[in-house]
Amino acid sequence: MGNSWAVITGSSRGLGAHLANAFWSAGWNIVLVARNQDDLLEVCKNLPERPNQRTVIFPCDLAQPVEVSLLVEKIKDQLPRLDALVNNAAIHGPIGPLVENDLTLWNKAIQVNLMSPVTLCHGLLDLIGKSGGGAIINLSGGGATGPRANFTAYASAKAALVRFSETLAQELESQGIRVNCVAPGAMKTSLLEEVVVSGKSVAGTREFEIAENVFAQGGASMNKVADLVLFLASDASLGITGKLVSAVWDKWQEWPKHIEQLAASDTYTLRRISGRDRGMEWGDV
Ligand SMILES: NC(=O)c1ccc[n+]([C@@H]2O[C@H](COP(=O)([O-])OP(=O)(O)OC[C@H]3O[C@@H](n4cnc5c(N)ncnc54)[C@H](OP(=O)(O)O)[C@@H]3O)[C@@H](O)[C@H]2O)c1
């Protein structure tokens, strides 16, 4: 992997910091992005020494469109190539019923969770294509595949990010750029802690109990997520694109043996379920 480069957003803590470590250990050069420069430096400081690899940090507030555009320019100026773009940074936005949400915060969640990945893809496709192909990996989240009450902003942004990824995957297939999404499962991070802190009455009983349970029992394995993201970033996943892959539930290790079948089907994608799919024949013509 000696000369491969990955950009990982939201890599100052939580899953992003874990992914930064995993890419580094797998031999990648890494670009770390988040708001807090000290936290990014701390992540770099704790990486094992590897003299032939490079780290670059770009502090950036992804909630500010101008900063995201500047980030694109800095990446294009300073990187010789880009092999993997991991859009991992995300925020919940307002938690609670829509009617009580501050729409400014709603908008901010759309900007960080959806528009910043869109802007990074838009601005960096040329650089990714320069070395003959590459991978875009977008982190999905609760609400992308089903409703998530009290998290309308987050759920809407994540559902849109998944459909954006499916659509971009089709556009880029002939250029050898794969676009996939990863559902990591509920993990013990500051994002989930927010759900516990917001309380049952705001987040809702179901969400609160899931989060509380994760903090009591440990939650999904970040190592499994990192294995999956590294797989999607590597040539081992050639031919796999436009899919939403669960790090917890999917046997993706088997997928390279079934590339044609996967490509020809709508499995692992967002689709409408009709009455016919549920045995309700009265519902369809
Ligand atoms: N944790 C879960 O249970 C769970 C479940 C499903 C999906 N996910 C997804 O997994 C990904 C990682 O989540 P996580 O739990 O690791 O979150 P986290 O612990 O809250 O970390 C979020 C990261 O994003 C950065 N970030 C937040 N706002 C930013 C902004 N405006 N500009 C730039 N960077 C920003 C944070 O750094 P700064 O604060 O320094 O900016 C931090 O590095 C997210 O996409 C999330 O939706 C998480």
Side-chain angles (χ1 to χ4, degrees), residues 195-277:
V195 179
V196 178
V197 171
S198 65
K200 223 182 243 186
S201 60
V202 176
T205 305
R206 183 177 172 275
E207 294 296 334
F208 179 82
E209 285 177 356
I210 291 171
E212 213 180 30
N213 213 22
V214 165
F215 278 90
Q217 296 180 4
S221 153
M222 288 194 201
N223 287 340
K224 280 192 178 175
V225 185
D227 287 347
L228 170 56
V229 174
L230 276 169
F231 165 72
L232 292 173
S234 76
D235 284 353
S237 66
L238 283 179
I240 297 171
T241 192
K243 302 295 186 186
L244 165 57
V245 197
S246 164
V248 177
W249 303 111
D250 297 340
K251 230 162 121 185
W252 50 266
Q253 294 87 343
E254 296 295 314
W255 289 18
K257 292 184 217 148
H258 306 281
I259 295 290
E260 277 178 25
Q261 204 178 355
L262 272 172
S265 83
D266 60 4
T267 50
Y268 308 102
T269 59
L270 291 188
R271 294 295 177 264
R272 189 181 76 112
I273 300 165
S274 75
R276 209 178 302 116
D277 298 319

Side-chain angles (χ1 to χ4, degrees), residues 119-163:
T119 308
L120 290 173
C121 290
H122 176 263
L124 296 174
L125 282 178
D126 282 355
L127 185 61
I128 300 174
K130 215 170 134 183
S131 42
I136 296 167
I137 297 139
N138 295 326
L139 267 293
S140 172
T145 53
R148 189 178 182 198
N150 303 314
F151 294 80
T152 49
Y154 183 82
S156 306
K158 290 295 189 177
L161 184 64
V162 176
R163 178 49 54 84

Side-chain angles (χ1 to χ4, degrees), residues 10-15 34-36 60-63 88-91 112 139-141 154 158 184-187 189-192:
S11 36
S12 61
R13 61 170 185 272
L15 177 62
R35 284 167 302 181
N36 191 312
C60 172
D61 184 353
L62 297 169
N88 166 78
I91 55 172
V112 174
L139 267 293
S140 172
Y154 183 82
K158 290 295 189 177
M187 299 165 297
T189 66
S190 51
L191 191 81
L192 203 67

Side-chain angles (χ1 to χ4, degrees), residues 174-195:
S174 61
Q175 296 167 48
I177 301 176
R178 306 184 299 286
V179 189
N180 290 292
C181 290
V182 165
M187 299 165 297
K188 200 172 174 179
T189 66
S190 51
L191 191 81
L192 203 67
E193 199 176 359
E194 264 180 40
V195 179

